[in-house]
Amino acid sequence: MTSRIKLLLWCGILSSLLYAAMNVFIAGQWEDYNSRSMTVSELSAIDAPTRAIWVPWGFVYTLLMAVFGWGVRAVAQGRRLRIAGGFLMAYGITGLAWPLFPMHLREALAAGGATWTDTMHLVFTSFTVLLMVLAMGFGAAALDKPFRIYTIVTILLLATFGGLTGAGAADVEANASTPWIGVYERINTGVFLLWVMVLAIKLLHRPTPPLDTSHRAPA
């Protein structure tokens, strides 16, 4: 494995660490923000005090993820892993459009201030989750049994906490109490970030196949 490919794979680890750090440090810049009861999307909402910080760092995160997907494709020795890399690239490239479709703050939503960007925000959320699950499914199918089992558990967690997060969406729009929605969403996000890191580590430590010399001319 060349140094260039290793660097591409390391982008997966860096992307997950960056996103986790964004959730901690950028959230800390908003005095009234509560990570337990507020969603991640509210950090980049229209008129949120943290939007100007979140958007450029989110751009870096999505670029790192797209580059990681390229690295997965570069190291792939079979079709399934190449497809998984393609979905990760699509996930990263799609994320570049997130700033175009921000949600409004809860107060604005409750006052009837929702616009088409709020609708598109939900559409993009569903689409990116689909890309995540497809990447995980093909990645699991390409690798060993322990990784497949780990991926199945991860997808089940995504479905569980994604459902809990979605169930509270109406309360966010109504500016009602959502005491645990931030926890549910961060668990949902965290298991995917961890999966990306585990995949990157597995591929970084994957043995390089021996050079095929069967067609080389005899000395």
Side-chain angles (χ1 to χ4, degrees), residues 12-13 15-17 19-20 61-62 65-66 68-69 84 87-92 128-137 147 150-151 153-159 161 184-200:
I13 298 173
S15 70
S16 292
L17 293 176
Y19 198 86
Y61 164 75
T62 54
M65 182 60 71
F68 172 60
F87 280 124
L88 288 170
M89 288 183 67
Y91 168 80
T128 54
V129 169
L130 175 62
L131 292 175
M132 288 162 55
V133 173
L134 288 171
M136 294 168 71
F147 187 74
Y150 165 67
T151 300
V153 172
T154 300
I155 291 175
L156 290 175
L157 289 172
L158 278 173
F161 289 98
Y184 299 150
E185 187 181 26
R186 282 167 174 80
I187 292 175
N188 199 43
T189 303
V191 295
F192 175 68
L193 297 179
L194 183 60
W195 182 86
V196 168
M197 293 181 70
V198 172
L199 175 62

Side-chain angles (χ1 to χ4, degrees), residues 40-149:
V40 176
S41 292
E42 291 176 83
L43 290 169
S44 60
I46 295 172
D47 294 328
T50 48
R51 176 172 172 78
I53 309 173
W54 183 276
V55 170
W57 283 110
F59 184 80
V60 175
Y61 164 75
T62 54
L63 280 179
L64 287 172
M65 182 60 71
V67 171
F68 172 60
W70 181 19
V72 173
R73 286 183 59 84
V75 79
Q77 299 169 16
R79 183 174 62 90
R80 291 173 179 172
L81 194 57
R82 282 195 296 273
I83 293 174
F87 280 124
L88 288 170
M89 288 183 67
Y91 168 80
I93 294 169
T94 300
L96 297 176
W98 271 106
L100 301 176
F101 308 111
M103 65 176 285
H104 282 79
L105 291 174
R106 294 179 180 218
E107 295 81 5
L109 294 174
T115 66
W116 69 280
T117 66
D118 296 278
T119 302
M120 288 302 299
H121 187 84
L122 295 175
V123 171
F124 260 64
T125 298
S126 300
F127 184 62
T128 54
V129 169
L130 175 62
L131 292 175
M132 288 162 55
V133 173
L134 288 171
M136 294 168 71
F138 278 97
L143 299 178
D144 55 25
K145 184 177 180 180
F147 187 74
R148 287 197 295 272
I149 295 172

Side-chain angles (χ1 to χ4, degrees), residues 4-62:
R4 181 183 67 86
I5 293 179
K6 288 182 179 179
L7 181 59
L8 297 178
L9 295 177
W10 263 99
C11 285
I13 298 173
L14 293 175
S15 70
S16 292
L17 293 176
L18 173 61
Y19 198 86
M22 288 166 60
N23 268 276
V24 174
F25 295 107
I26 296 180
Q29 304 303 307
W30 184 353
E31 185 177 352
D32 296 327
Y33 186 84
N34 189 321
S35 295
R36 178 174 60 83
S37 61
M38 297 176 71
T39 66
V40 176
S41 292
E42 291 176 83
L43 290 169
S44 60
I46 295 172
D47 294 328
T50 48
R51 176 172 172 78
I53 309 173
W54 183 276
V55 170
W57 283 110
F59 184 80
V60 175
Y61 164 75
T62 54

